Amino acid sequence: MQVIKLSATDSTNTYLKNLSVREEVPDFTVVYAVHQKAGRGQPGNKWVSEKGKNLTFSVLKRLEGLPARRHFLLNILASLAVFDALQILGIPDIKIKWPNDIMSGHKKICGILIENQMQGQQIPQCIMGIGLNVNQLEFKTLDHASSLKAITGKEFDIQELLLSLLSLLRGYLGQTGPESYPKHLQAYSKHLFLKDKSATFHRPDGSSFEGFIRGIYPDGRLKIELEGTPEAFGFKEVLYSY
Ligand code: BTN
């Protein structure tokens, strides 16, 4: 495994993407930055991280014939790797907020940005970026953000966390075959934030409704039960409050 450690870069995802365009990058190359200056979040969002306080890294993973229709498996595997790492550390009340935020209670502590390279109907490689808030204590206007230290009162070793996460990620990313999809889908669904709890959801047109998250469809859409009937919601088709 090649780990490229940078003292600063704009975005580890962008750095790795550019590197892979310029040269042949080995499978599971990792780029880690002490200071990520212009981190990218889900489309339209930024990922802000204080210098030296958090874990910001990306992994380039080659995939053997992962069909595009099963792209959500990558969100599942990344989320489960972070989930397991945080469980091992004893972080309380860890949940996965669909599609791939990791929460402790009602606070977001980790975000994941997966950028797939497409070739026809296949995904031959992806870049998986993970931002885990570790020792940062101030989040300014980000009311729903928190960190491991803010939650536990303890300081964490960022390098140790990186190694633990990489080992879990490596294990999960070795299981991209169709046979393991139902097992991972089930594990992911089990740990969903707000699962089976009455919650308010918002549609992009501003309307809102009450419902219950019941799980995930195999294509990755969120299953919300509305007045007794399950409905599928894709990314950006529904928002829900923390
Ligand atoms: C989100 O919650 O919107 C996703 C945030 C992803 C942040 C990580 S930090 C490492 C990698 N590099 C980036 O620019 N973004 C991801």
Side-chain angles (χ1 to χ4, degrees), residues 199-203 206-212 224-227 231 233 237-239:
T200 305
F201 298 88
H202 306 276
R203 298 184 195 268
S207 62
S208 56
F209 61 91
E210 297 290 310
F212 295 85
I224 304 178
E225 188 184 306
L226 280 104
E227 294 172 2
E231 266 194 43
F233 291 85
E237 287 175 358
V238 68
L239 291 169

Side-chain angles (χ1 to χ4, degrees), residues 166-225:
L166 288 176
S167 147
L168 287 159
L169 205 54
R170 205 176 189 139
Y172 274 111
L173 289 174
Q175 303 173 51
T176 53
E179 65 294 342
S180 47
Y181 197 58
K183 177 179 87 178
H184 294 312
L185 191 63
Q186 198 183 15
Y188 177 98
S189 297
K190 186 171 146 207
H191 302 307
L192 278 176
F193 178 67
L194 293 181
K195 178 142 188 257
D196 298 328
K197 301 212 164 76
S198 173
T200 305
F201 298 88
H202 306 276
R203 298 184 195 268
D205 66 6
S207 62
S208 56
F209 61 91
E210 297 290 310
F212 295 85
I213 290 177
R214 296 300 192 200
I216 299 290
Y217 289 96
D219 64 2
R221 285 182 299 165
L222 185 65
K223 186 192 283 181
I224 304 178
E225 188 184 306

Side-chain angles (χ1 to χ4, degrees), residues 10-14 36 38-43 45-47 55-58 100-101 108 110-113 128-132:
D10 284 348
S11 153
T12 53
N13 266 41
T14 308
Q36 180 172 253
R40 296 189 288 113
Q42 293 301 327
N45 293 337
K46 291 188 285 191
W47 184 259
L55 190 48
T56 48
F57 71 100
S58 304
N100 48 17
D101 289 347
K108 175 168 170 174
C110 177
I112 301 170
L113 177 66
M128 204 168 253
I130 298 186
L132 174 64

Side-chain angles (χ1 to χ4, degrees), residues 140-191:
K140 300 204 173 92
T141 53
L142 297 170
D143 294 341
H144 299 296
S146 192
S147 69
L148 303 187
K149 183 171 178 182
I151 287 163
T152 63
K154 288 188 279 186
E155 184 94 8
F156 287 81
D157 183 321
I158 293 173
Q159 293 304 310
E160 257 177 42
L161 274 173
L162 175 65
L163 292 180
S164 151
L165 256 169
L166 288 176
S167 147
L168 287 159
L169 205 54
R170 205 176 189 139
Y172 274 111
L173 289 174
Q175 303 173 51
T176 53
E179 65 294 342
S180 47
Y181 197 58
K183 177 179 87 178
H184 294 312
L185 191 63
Q186 198 183 15
Y188 177 98
S189 297
K190 186 171 146 207
H191 302 307

